[in-house]
Each structure stands twice: as structure tokens, then as C-alpha cells.
Amino acid sequence: MRKLFSLLTIAALALVAAPTVADDDFQSRIRAFHASPAPTPAVDVLAGGGILIDNLSFGNASDYEHVPANIYDIDIVETGTTSPSFFSAAVSLFYSTTYTVVATDGASGLEPIILIDDNSKVDDDAVRVRFFHGSQDTDPVSVRALGGPVWVDSLAYQSVSEYITVPEGLYDLEVSIIGTSTAVVVPADLPGGSVVTVFAIGLLGDGSLDFVPTVDASFDDDRPGRGDDDDDDDDD
């Protein structure tokens, strides 16, 4: 399981000295995913007082935004407002790095978790996929393709799995809650030449547990992707 860094941990890191490279290499790329259930409203993510991501509702991911690598004062607020802030911290964004910020927990104690994304190129017949556990009342889970070997074992709340690479295709994913007989079968289309994150969101207790896949990057000319870092390499 990959170690996660909270936004506060990232903020404690100093930006490393950058070599002399093209301007684009000094860019960070960042998006957000809203995994905090009601009563958390739609949110805006502010950077230095300006809107970086706007009107992001529960169960949705924003597009990636390109920003210069730097230290930013980040606030998460209800859409259309500037205060009060559900969360506020100084955050270091490193050059040539791609991030997903996941808003978890409830509005009264919103806790963003920051993931570092690997949106590098994938073969046309393969998928790079990972899983994020964002359901706060659900015990650790394991994930496998129905009838197949375990892909992810004992994934705890607010944790992300390692990436795995699997053949493209339509899958029935079996998500089992560790220590119980409860399992959920989730149909998932994992398209070739793409990078996918599957987010577990909602609550088990009230029946709102859901699984949301996002195509983070796509290297198929016919399939738009949110995070394609290598468009120019598609024909190589």
C-alpha cells in the first residue's frame, strides 16, 4: 500500500532546487475529487485567494489544472463563498508532479488527502488502475476481479492502493469487507491505454456506498482523458 501524505505533511516539505529546464517542467498539475458526503456541499478550492477549482460536487472529479510549482495557501470553501474555510493550509506543489486532492470526512472535520498520480503512458491493450478507500464507515476492503486473484488486500479508509496494470476490458470487481461476509460486485469498464482511479465513496450504513471510476489519463486518440501527460507520444 502506498504511503499517503496529508496536505499538512506536504506543506512541511521544502521545494527542491530546480535544474535549468523548459518552463513546462516547472508546472504542477492538480485536480480534486469530492468524497465527503452530505451535509458537505459543493466546494471551491482556492489558491492564494483565487479560485483554482470551482463548484465540485460529491462524487465528482475536477479537470487537472496547470499551476507553477510553488507554495500555495489552499482553502476549501462552500461554492460561491470565501469563508468560512472547511480546510486551510500552506501546500507545496512540486514541479513535474501531478496530484489528486481527495476531500474526505464530513464538512465539520474535512480532511483532504493528497495523492501523487502516475499518468505516464500505458500500452493500448492495458490499463493502469488503483483504488482509493473514501467510505468512512466501511472497514478495510479487498478488491479482485470476480473469480480471479486478489488485486488489492486490506485497503483501509483514506488509503490508496499501489497501481496495478491489467488487460483492458469489462470487469466485475468484487469488493469484500475484511472480516465480514459482505461483498459488493461493481461493474467497471477499464479502457485500454488509460490510467484509472476507482474511488469508494458514500456510507455502508445508509446504503449509499458507491464506487466511482475516473479516467485520469488516456492515450487513445478517440477517448479524451483528464490527465494525459504524453499526447505527443501517442504515435510513437
Side-chain angles (χ1 to χ4, degrees):
M1 183 185 304
R2 301 180 70 185
K3 183 177 180 182
L4 294 180
F5 297 93
S6 71
L7 284 172
L8 290 175
T9 303
I10 294 293
L13 300 175
L15 283 171
V16 297
T20 302
V21 290
D23 288 345
D24 286 349
D25 291 331
F26 287 102
Q27 297 286 306
S28 300
R29 302 172 71 250
I30 186 170
R31 69 168 182 173
F33 185 91
H34 191 325
S36 179
T40 307
V43 298
D44 293 343
V45 179
L46 310 181
I51 296 176
L52 178 64
I53 295 165
D54 71 315
N55 197 26
L56 184 63
S57 58
F58 176 65
N60 288 286
S62 73
D63 291 329
Y64 283 99
E65 301 294 338
H66 291 72
V67 297
N70 210 328
I71 300 173
Y72 292 91
D73 292 323
I74 297 290
D75 288 278
I76 300 177
V77 299
E78 183 173 356
T79 291
T81 70
T82 56
S83 65
S85 179
F86 297 130
F87 179 86
S88 181
V91 178
S92 295
L93 300 181
F94 293 85
Y95 64 89
S96 297
T97 306
T98 302
Y99 302 94
T100 295
V101 178
V102 188
T104 67
D105 280 353
S108 61
L110 194 69
E111 184 176 1
I113 303 295
I114 192 162
L115 314 180
I116 296 177
D117 304 345
D118 179 4
N119 289 344
S120 57
K121 188 160 185 173
V122 183
D123 289 341
D124 291 345
D125 58 354
V127 185
R128 184 185 303 120
V129 61
R130 65 179 175 175
F131 299 85
F132 180 86
H133 188 330
S135 173
Q136 65 190 96
D137 72 341
T138 303
D139 287 338
V141 300
S142 64
V143 183
R144 65 172 184 162
L146 192 63
V150 172
W151 287 359
V152 176
D153 190 24
S154 197
L155 184 66
Y157 176 56
Q158 294 182 325
S159 294
V160 68
S161 72
E162 296 281 356
Y163 283 101
I164 61 172
T165 301
V166 300
E168 67 174 332
L170 296 171
Y171 287 88
D172 288 324
L173 301 180
E174 183 178 44
V175 182
S176 301
I177 300 174
I178 303 297
T180 76
S181 59
T182 302
V184 179
V185 176
V186 183
D189 180 8
L190 301 182
S194 66
V195 181
V196 174
T197 302
V198 180
F199 294 89
I201 63 171
L203 300 173
L204 179 66
D206 66 8
S208 65
L209 179 65
D210 197 7
F211 298 87
V212 179
T214 64
V215 176
D216 307 339
S218 175
F219 301 93
D220 183 333
D221 290 338
D222 297 326
R223 185 186 298 114
R226 291 181 179 273
D228 193 337
D229 285 330
D230 295 301
D231 283 339
D232 294 338
D233 297 330
D234 285 2
D235 297 328
D236 289 352

